[in-house]
């Protein structure tokens, strides 16, 4: 009996192993098709196979299954023939939007590549059907479901291709982001979010990514829909445990059901749900498992920086100082938490001064090991800002790969646990990150570094904070970091359509509605709930939290006066006109600096220089323009002289010729008429989306959307190294930001990794491809931390 059970068990395990091998083999064949065929050849081959299969199943009698198979191949033929010209037109001009010939990457290329992936999967499946349709082992129902799912995906991709053509026709020359009428932008986004998305979250989940990623995405999708069920039953999700995430077996065995539920969740649940779900990685069990697989470090301590002002020397004249005030926005003064990670215990890291600021984390920081011997201070320091859409995660979520960085770089790392939206919207996170950065520069000896080389590093929202902290350091006149490494950063938080953001229709990690909810939370503009929304199911705690946020919103709006003058240089105002004194309930760090009394610049009695005085001095010495205003009022749509998104003249002419190929109807009709006659994409069945369309001037602030910063601000940035993902909805943020810096003569590099999703740093240990991408980030940081003389000495000789 036991032998029989063991044989049965081994047989089941063998079948599972066989299925996994066959799946990888199928994925490999699809990848080879993608690499070996151009678009036209692939389309023609698919159409020929579709016609052959359609004819075969049409001759099999009046059965329902045969009819559906015949119809699905007819649909494949129709969509492939309609899609090929649209993709060809996009591909013909895609090179005009690249950073340079060595970096062929932008949203148009990514959209074409994704569509070709779908065509390759359908071509492989069609070949399989043609070869095995007469076999008695042919699984008719399974293959029909696969074909119907990919046909739905192909139909939606055709809709995206038409949307991309609309962007190409309406955007300014060389621009990847739509910068026209806000009403048209709102119409575009409302039309876009009505498209059906569930097909991308079921059987087709992650088809565009490397095969090694897809099992992980399937696990995440099952966990997400299971979490959604438990979240509703447990009010705010606080009762959800790691073991309850994967208990809904019906979602695991039914891809269509899982896709529909995934779509419902992404469209209807609020930012508090996503905050709770993304913070799952910080559950003690999961974080412990992640740390077990990461490098072992001597130091990983949470430090609480006291909210006390201190002085920083000016780079222009170290004898003069500027006051760095503690964060004040929204919640008043409060400590800032940072995590110090160091592979070795270095001098200063166990000092009494630093030990007095250590914040206990419980038993996880206790070490039963001999006291390690100290090593000398490192010449380098890495300041890290974590991602999480400004609403979720902490340094604890990113600790596994940061430990590896500390080992590979041989430098201490501090990761900032900034306050999160919607409870602490902009500019609280920026204030805390800037305060922590300045503190680290001033007290680098306590952190085990001499501070000779300092690098800012961050991913996603953290990449945004890297740029804005560096811009703020330059505005204050304090030391700017020696370089920035930003992984898949968000540089444009305005609700602007771009070709890469069209990919959010199918991206399981960054759906468009979730992106918009995160941005709105960070901007302090939570949308009011629809009375019939599914969010009512969140329970009493969710309603109390929501009512409280609505009550506090008026207070935030009442503080908009200081946001309007956020980091505004006083030189903008006439020296003959005295500015009225505005008393606010709370003031930001910027206002605290600006509010200090003005005195004669350069006198011996002056020991502290305010930002106001710095602007008067620098503007008179370096520019004929009297000031650079950073207020919300003056940061509306930038003029071409301030924000240069334009192509070179020869590229502009080439793009203009390409646009002439579009019909007159394409260039003049509204968004709703973007599709040709007879084409109807699939619409969502989940009801009206709750995606907020927020267009406050705050999102145009360069300290929120650095892509919109004027040229004279961007010129103050240090060397920038960006690592982006080709299939990331945020790809165009990286491409356009790099193009702007390149046009200004600023040192910038852009490396684009293929076939990986947004957030690959958190997946660094998952597969070979993510490890290689993470190593690329480390390589960029090492380049920043290497002194210029040493870098020149180790550089290869010119050819």
């Amino acid at each position: 009996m036991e032998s029989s059970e063991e044989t049965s068990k081994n047989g089941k395990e063998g079948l599972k192993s066989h299925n996994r091998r066959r799946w990888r083999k199928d994925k490999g064949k699809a990848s080879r098709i993608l690499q070996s065929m151009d678009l036209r050849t692939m389309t023609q081959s698919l159409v020929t196979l579709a016609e052959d299969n359609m004819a075969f199943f049409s001759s099999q009698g009046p059965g329902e299954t045969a009819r559906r198979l015949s119809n699905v191949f007819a649909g494949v033929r129709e969509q492939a023939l309609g899609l090929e010209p649209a993709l060809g037109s996009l591909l013909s001009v895609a090179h005009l939007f690249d950073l340079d010939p060595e970096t062929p990457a932008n949203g148009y290329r990514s959209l074409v590549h994704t569509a070709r992936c779908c065509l390759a999967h359908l071509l492989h499946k069609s070949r399989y059907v043609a070869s095995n349709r007469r076999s008695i082992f042919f699984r008719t129902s399974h293959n029909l479901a696969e074909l119907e799912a990919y046909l739905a995906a192909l139909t939606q991709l055709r809709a995206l291709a038409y949307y991309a053509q609309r962007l190409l026709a309406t955007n300014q020359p060389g621009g990847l982001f739509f910068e026209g009428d806000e009403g048209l932008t709102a119409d575009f986004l409302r039309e876009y979010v009505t498209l059906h998305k569930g097909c991308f979250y079921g059987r087709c989940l992650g088809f565009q990514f490397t095969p090694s990623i897809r099992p992980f995405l399937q696990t995440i999708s099952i966990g997400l829909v299971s979490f959604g069920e438990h979240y509703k039953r447990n009010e705010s999700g606080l009762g959800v445990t790691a073991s309850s995430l994967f208990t809904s077996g019906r979602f695991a065995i039914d891809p269509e059901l899982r896709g529909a539920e995934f779509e419902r969740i992404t469209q209807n649940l609020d930012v508090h749900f996503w905050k709770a779900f993304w913070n799952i990685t910080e559950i003690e069990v999961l974080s412990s498992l992640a740390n077990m697989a990461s490098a072992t470090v001597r130091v990983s301590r949470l430090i609480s920086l006291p909210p006390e002002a201190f002085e920083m020397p000016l780079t222009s004249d170290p004898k003069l100082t500027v006051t760095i005030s503690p964060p004040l926005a929204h919640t008043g003064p409060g400590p800032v938490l940072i995590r110090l990670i160091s592979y070795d215990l270095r001098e200063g890291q166990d000092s009494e001064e630093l030990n007095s600021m250590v914040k206990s984390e419980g038993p996880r920081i206790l070490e039963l090991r001999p006291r390690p011997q100290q090593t000398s201070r490192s010449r380098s320091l890495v300041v890290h800002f974590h991602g999480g859409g400004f609403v979720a995660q902490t340094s604890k979520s990113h600790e596994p790969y940061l430990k590896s960085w500390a080992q590979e770089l041989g430098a201490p790392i501090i990761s900032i646990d900034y306050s999160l939206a919607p409870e602490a919207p902009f500019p609280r996170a920026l204030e805390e990150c800037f305060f922590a950065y300045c503190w680290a520069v001033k007290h680098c000896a306590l952190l085990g570094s001499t501070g000779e080389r300092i690098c800012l590093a961050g991913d996603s929202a953290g990449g945004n904070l890297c740029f804005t902290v560096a811009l703020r350091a330059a505005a204050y006149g304090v030391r700017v970091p020696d370089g920035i490494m930003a992984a898949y950063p968000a540089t444009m938080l305005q609700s602007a359509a771009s070709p890469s953001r069209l990919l959010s229709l199918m991206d399981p990690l960054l759906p468009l509605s979730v992106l918009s909810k995160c941005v709105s939370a960070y901007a302090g503009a939570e949308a009011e709930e629809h009375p019939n929304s599914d969010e009512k199911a969140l329970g009493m705690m969710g309603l109390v939290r929501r009512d409280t946020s609505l009550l506090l919103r008026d207070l935030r709006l009442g503080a908009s006066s200081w946001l309007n003058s956020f980091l505004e240089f006083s030189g903008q105002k006439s020296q003959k006109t005295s500015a009225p004194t505005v008393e606010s309930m709370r003031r930001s760090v910027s206002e605290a600096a600006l509010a200090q009394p003005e005195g004669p610049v350069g006198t011996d009695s002056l020991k502290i220089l305010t930002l106001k005085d710095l602007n008067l001095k620098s503007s008179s010495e370096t520019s004929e323009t009297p000031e650079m205003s950073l207020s919300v009022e003056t940061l509306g749509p930038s003029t071409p002289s301030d924000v240069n998104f334009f192509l070179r003249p020869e590229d502009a002419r080439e793009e203009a010729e390409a646009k002439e190929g579009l019909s007159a109807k394409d260039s003049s009709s509204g968004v709703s008429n973007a599709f040709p006659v007879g084409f109807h994409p699939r619409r969502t069945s989940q009801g009206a989306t709750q995606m907020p369309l927020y267009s406050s001037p705050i999102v145009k602030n360069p300290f929120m959307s650095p892509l919109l910063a004027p040229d004279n601000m961007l010129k103050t940035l240090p060397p920038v190294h960006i690592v982006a993902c080709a299939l990331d909805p945020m790809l165009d943020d990286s491409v356009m930001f790099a193009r702007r810096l390149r046009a200004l003569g600023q040192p910038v590099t852009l490396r684009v990794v293929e076939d990986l999703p947004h957030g690959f740093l958190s997946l660094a240990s998952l597969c070979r491809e993510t490890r290689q991408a993470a190593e690329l980030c480390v390589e960029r940081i090492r380049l920043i931390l290497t002194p210029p003389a040493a870098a020149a000495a180790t550089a290869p000789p010119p050819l």
Side-chain angles (χ1 to χ4, degrees):
M1 185 68 180
E2 292 180 359
S3 176
S4 177
E5 291 179 354
E6 183 177 352
T7 302
S8 176
K9 181 178 179 181
N10 293 336
K12 291 181 180 179
E13 291 297 325
L15 179 60
K16 291 180 180 179
S17 176
H18 170 73
N19 289 336
R20 284 195 296 267
R21 288 195 301 270
R22 186 179 64 184
W23 176 79
R24 293 192 184 99
K25 184 178 180 181
D26 289 347
K27 292 286 290 184
K29 288 181 178 179
S31 300
R32 287 193 293 272
I33 291 173
L34 186 65
Q35 296 171 3
S36 62
M37 287 188 177
D38 59 26
L39 177 62
R40 182 175 296 276
T41 304
M42 186 183 300
T43 302
Q44 291 175 345
S45 300
L46 178 59
V47 168
T48 300
L49 281 168
E51 291 175 344
D52 177 65
N53 284 319
M54 182 173 56
F56 174 81
F57 289 109
S58 297
S59 64
Q60 296 304 301
E64 176 66 16
T65 301
R67 183 189 62 80
R68 289 174 60 187
L69 281 166
S70 178
N71 288 342
V72 78
F73 281 111
V76 168
R77 178 185 182 279
E78 176 187 354
Q79 300 305 329
L81 289 174
L83 180 60
E84 193 265 336
L87 296 181
S89 67
L90 296 177
L91 199 57
S92 66
V93 297
H95 65 281
L96 301 175
F97 301 89
D98 296 333
L99 174 64
D100 51 45
E102 289 72 34
T103 315
N106 60 69
Y108 292 115
R109 290 185 182 274
S110 299
L111 185 58
V112 172
H113 174 79
T114 303
R116 291 183 70 242
C117 285
C118 189
L119 289 170
H121 279 82
L122 280 169
L123 179 57
H124 168 66
K125 180 58 67 175
S126 298
R127 285 177 175 174
Y128 175 83
V129 171
S131 300
N132 297 275
R133 62 198 179 193
R134 298 180 184 275
S135 172
I136 60 173
F137 299 106
F138 181 69
R139 296 191 297 164
T140 306
S141 299
H142 169 77
N143 287 285
L144 175 60
E146 289 276 321
L147 287 165
E148 288 180 335
Y150 276 100
L151 173 59
L154 190 67
T155 303
Q156 302 308 82
L157 284 167
R158 185 180 172 189
L160 296 187
Y162 290 136
Y163 280 142
Q165 285 185 318
R166 171 68 52 217
L167 287 174
L168 184 62
T170 55
N171 281 0
Q172 295 184 13
L176 288 170
F177 287 98
F178 179 74
E179 302 176 60
D181 176 47
E182 290 187 358
L184 184 58
T185 299
D187 290 342
F188 184 94
L189 292 177
R190 289 192 187 99
E191 173 76 9
Y192 172 71
V193 297
T194 64
L195 294 177
H196 169 66
K197 309 164 189 65
C199 61
F200 294 111
Y201 304 142
R203 295 180 187 272
C204 303
L205 180 70
F207 71 91
Q208 69 272 38
F209 300 124
T210 183
S212 304
I213 292 292
R214 189 170 181 181
F216 166 78
L217 294 178
Q218 289 177 337
T219 303
I220 288 296
S221 67
I222 295 171
L224 175 68
V225 295
S226 301
F227 184 85
E229 283 196 328
H230 289 278
Y231 184 85
K232 289 185 294 184
R233 290 200 294 265
N234 294 275
E235 296 178 345
S236 63
L238 298 178
V240 179
T241 62
S243 61
S244 67
L245 284 181
F246 309 101
T247 57
S248 298
R250 58 197 180 97
F251 293 124
I253 64 176
D254 191 338
E256 282 72 30
L257 179 64
R258 183 171 70 242
E261 180 67 7
F262 197 110
E263 180 179 7
R264 186 195 68 81
I265 288 174
T266 58
Q267 290 209 166
N268 295 311
L269 293 188
D270 65 5
V271 72
H272 298 284
F273 167 82
W274 296 100
K275 177 192 286 282
F277 180 70
W278 287 338
N279 284 337
I280 283 295
T281 56
E282 302 199 4
I283 292 178
E284 191 64 34
V285 174
L286 297 182
S287 63
S288 299
L289 290 175
N291 280 290
M292 287 174 60
S294 61
T296 302
V297 297
R298 295 290 187 181
V299 179
S300 180
R301 318 172 77 184
L302 194 62
I303 300 170
S304 178
L305 305 183
E308 300 171 355
F310 55 89
E311 308 301 320
M312 285 284 289
L314 300 176
T315 54
S316 58
D317 187 352
K319 295 180 181 179
L320 302 176
T321 60
V322 63
T323 300
I324 307 298
S325 300
L328 297 171
H330 299 294
T331 56
V336 178
L337 298 180
I338 67 173
R339 182 177 300 277
L340 173 62
I341 299 175
S342 181
Y343 183 70
D344 298 306
L345 178 64
R346 298 185 179 273
E347 293 181 21
Q349 292 178 344
D350 62 346
S351 63
E352 292 185 5
E353 183 177 356
L354 192 66
N355 287 335
S356 66
M357 293 185 285
V358 171
K359 183 178 177 63
S360 175
E361 294 184 89
R364 73 187 300 269
I365 67 168
L366 298 180
E367 296 183 355
L368 300 177
R369 63 174 68 182
R371 182 180 179 87
Q373 184 177 1
Q374 286 188 359
T375 59
S376 60
R377 291 185 173 92
S378 170
R379 296 186 303 178
S380 305
L381 177 67
V382 177
V383 180
H384 172 263
F385 308 122
H386 67 79
F390 301 104
V391 302
Q393 300 192 339
T394 66
S395 60
K396 188 176 179 180
S397 309
H398 298 250
E399 188 178 12
Y401 73 79
L402 291 178
K403 288 181 175 181
S404 299
W405 285 11
Q407 179 182 13
E408 295 177 38
L409 295 170
I413 299 173
I414 63 166
S415 184
I416 317 303
D417 280 338
Y418 53 87
S419 296
L420 302 171
E423 294 80 7
F426 176 86
R428 182 72 188 197
L430 173 59
E431 288 186 353
E432 292 182 356
C433 290
F434 177 69
F435 180 82
Y437 164 75
C438 291
W439 187 93
V441 172
K442 184 177 179 68
H443 300 89
C444 59
L446 295 178
L447 303 174
S449 172
T450 62
E452 295 177 39
R453 304 288 297 180
I454 297 179
C455 171
L456 294 187
D459 68 307
S460 193
N464 175 288
L465 291 168
C466 286
F467 298 133
T468 54
V469 165
L471 289 173
R472 200 172 195 193
Y476 265 72
V478 299
R479 176 179 175 177
V480 174
D482 297 288
I484 296 173
M485 193 291 295
Y488 37 89
T491 64
M492 166 71 96
L493 300 189
Q494 190 175 0
S495 296
S498 84
S500 75
R501 293 193 179 184
L502 295 178
L503 298 175
S504 62
L505 183 80
M506 69 197 75
D507 195 292
L509 301 179
L510 281 183
L512 179 63
S513 57
V514 178
L515 284 173
S516 298
K517 289 167 186 173
C518 291
V519 171
S520 293
Y522 187 50
E526 297 176 62
E528 295 186 13
E529 274 65 38
H530 192 278
N532 295 324
S533 172
D534 287 348
E535 296 174 28
K536 278 189 172 183
L538 298 184
M540 182 59 66
M541 288 301 296
L543 295 176
V544 169
R545 180 180 60 248
R546 200 170 292 118
D547 291 340
T548 303
S549 67
L550 291 175
L551 178 64
L552 295 177
R553 184 175 59 183
D554 291 337
L555 296 178
R556 293 201 300 269
L557 295 177
S560 62
S561 59
W562 61 261
L563 277 176
N564 290 340
S565 60
F566 180 69
L567 279 183
E568 180 177 10
F569 290 156
S570 62
Q572 176 192 8
K573 302 180 180 180
S574 172
Q575 297 180 14
K576 297 180 181 179
T577 305
S578 60
T581 303
V582 180
E583 293 295 330
S584 301
M585 296 178 61
R586 300 184 180 92
R587 301 183 306 164
S588 66
V589 168
S590 309
E591 290 179 304
L594 292 173
Q596 299 188 28
E598 182 176 358
V601 178
T603 59
D604 294 337
S605 60
L606 182 64
K607 299 300 182 183
I608 299 177
L609 208 60
T610 66
L611 191 56
K612 178 186 296 184
D613 301 324
L614 288 175
N615 181 66
L616 292 175
K617 182 176 179 180
S618 62
S619 62
S620 62
E621 291 177 353
T622 63
S623 175
E624 296 179 0
T625 304
E627 80 292 324
M628 175 181 64
S629 172
L630 304 181
S631 67
V632 173
E633 292 94 335
T634 58
L635 288 173
S638 303
T639 61
S641 60
D642 293 331
V643 182
N644 182 13
F645 285 162
F646 293 89
L647 294 168
R648 299 182 300 274
E650 60 273 18
D651 288 343
R653 287 193 298 271
E654 187 175 350
E655 185 183 2
E657 294 173 358
K659 286 186 177 183
E660 290 178 359
L662 298 174
S663 66
K665 178 180 178 180
D666 285 342
S667 60
S668 61
S669 60
V671 174
S672 60
N673 296 323
F675 306 133
V677 177
F679 173 72
H680 302 286
R682 305 191 182 195
R683 300 294 179 178
T684 180
S685 60
Q686 299 299 329
T689 180
Q690 298 300 310
M691 187 189 79
L693 297 174
Y694 186 58
S695 58
S696 166
I698 291 178
V699 297
K700 299 178 182 179
N701 191 305
F703 289 93
M704 192 171 182
S705 295
L707 180 61
L708 299 179
D711 291 349
N712 50 358
M713 284 184 67
L714 294 182
K715 288 180 179 178
T716 65
L717 286 176
V720 170
H721 301 277
I722 301 175
V723 180
C725 306
L727 300 179
D728 182 5
M730 311 300 290
L731 170 64
D732 289 338
D733 293 54
S734 297
V735 174
M736 289 303 296
F737 196 70
R739 288 179 61 184
R740 284 209 62 201
L741 294 177
R742 180 72 59 84
L744 295 173
Q746 290 291 104
V748 58
T749 66
L750 173 64
R751 294 290 299 275
V752 181
V753 297
E754 303 290 338
D755 303 331
L756 292 182
H758 184 94
F760 64 74
L761 278 176
S762 297
L763 312 175
S765 60
L766 186 63
C767 61
R768 176 178 55 85
E769 291 85 356
T770 53
R771 285 193 295 271
Q772 291 175 345
E775 290 169 2
L776 179 59
C777 294
V778 174
E779 175 192 321
R780 302 288 95 178
I781 297 175
R782 186 178 289 111
L783 187 63
I784 295 170
L785 298 181
T786 304
T794 58
L799 297 177

